[in-house]
Amino acid sequence: MDQIEPLFPIPLMRSPGLLSPELKDAAVAAIRNARIESNLRSDQLFHTEVADPRSNKLFQEIAELTIPKLVDFGVLLFGETLRWTVKEMWTNMLETGGNQTLHAHANSFVSGILYLTPSHPASNTVFVRPPGGFDFSFRHHTRSAAVGPYNAGKYMLPEAEPGDLVLFPSYLYHEVPRNQGGQRITIAFNAIPDHLDCWGYRVTFAP
Ligand SMILES: [Fe+2]
């Protein structure tokens, strides 16, 4: 019997319906009433100010809901149950025709996206295989090629309903294709464990 081993996969966690409809609606209302800043690279992408979740009751409640998920996800990344903190949160309001360019999140271990409004199927978040490094210099991305986890260059979330959470390692590059639907609102955040201890060499991350 042949066996295929997925040797070094990158985890991505989907937690459908993490936010209750009430909390999701409260977040949308708060974001629509907040002071907004435009994105440097897209005229149709807006953010509220980067928030410290400890300074906002609603964002604090949302951050607390993500903690058990961060703990579980952290076990996949570090093999240990760690104390996780959401250290910053911000919002993304993507108007029709806007997009979010390819980026990753620095100074963070796990990042997350909470979806607050429906996304057009063509405008779901796309995660991109880390460029360079260990891949063949030849690719075979043709119309006829069967694409799977071992040869795909990109992974698009198949669906993201309002209230859903997605967690991914902060180094993983991602983007949002041009929004072909209505206004699309998400909350994004970065999270860190309070410390990592490797054979007594301890690195502590404190606010
Ligand atoms: Fe991002």
Side-chain angles (χ1 to χ4, degrees), residues 2-206:
D2 297 338
Q3 291 183 33
I4 301 294
E5 305 288 350
L7 288 185
F8 307 113
I10 297 171
L12 180 145
M13 184 185 218
R14 297 172 62 196
S15 303
L18 182 73
L19 302 187
S20 68
E22 296 74 30
L23 192 54
K24 184 254 307 168
D25 290 345
V28 169
I31 291 164
R32 287 198 169 130
N33 288 326
R35 201 158 75 86
I36 56 170
E37 303 174 336
S38 56
N39 184 269
L40 296 176
R41 284 166 293 194
S42 171
D43 290 341
Q44 281 92 22
L45 175 62
F46 301 92
H47 307 284
T48 52
E49 289 171 297
V50 173
D52 180 341
R54 285 163 300 191
S55 65
N56 179 298
K57 197 164 173 291
L58 180 67
F59 278 27
Q60 193 178 5
E61 188 180 343
I62 291 170
E64 277 166 16
L65 283 174
T66 70
I67 296 297
K69 308 298 180 187
L70 286 163
V71 171
D72 288 350
F73 193 70
V75 171
L76 296 179
L77 293 184
F78 294 114
E80 198 178 327
T81 300
L82 298 165
R83 280 170 53 91
W84 285 84
T85 302
V86 173
K87 70 185 179 78
E88 63 228 348
M89 266 186 159
W90 63 97
T91 61
N92 304 298
M93 270 182 289
L94 192 62
E95 302 294 342
T96 305
N99 70 298
Q100 193 162 45
T101 53
L102 192 65
H103 67 282
H105 298 192
N107 306 318
S108 169
F109 288 97
V110 174
S111 297
I113 304 167
L114 286 151
Y115 295 85
L116 299 182
T117 57
S119 298
H120 186 280
S123 312
N124 281 326
T125 313
V126 171
F127 295 89
V128 177
R129 180 187 288 273
F134 308 98
D135 231 335
F136 296 118
S137 295
F138 291 98
R139 289 246 172 104
H140 191 61
H141 291 166
T142 64
R143 285 186 204 285
S144 59
V147 177
Y150 302 108
N151 67 347
K154 294 183 173 184
Y155 169 81
M156 180 184 246
L157 277 185
E159 59 189 4
E161 297 296 326
D164 290 3
L165 166 72
V166 168
L167 293 179
F168 53 94
S170 302
Y171 60 76
L172 187 61
Y173 275 80
H174 53 286
E175 63 188 349
V176 182
R178 198 177 74 81
N179 184 6
Q180 299 179 36
Q183 187 186 55
R184 177 186 183 278
I185 302 181
T186 57
I187 295 174
F189 59 87
N190 287 328
I192 51 169
D194 66 338
H195 77 275
L196 291 170
D197 188 331
C198 196
W199 301 104
Y201 187 88
R202 189 180 171 99
V203 182
T204 301
F205 303 98

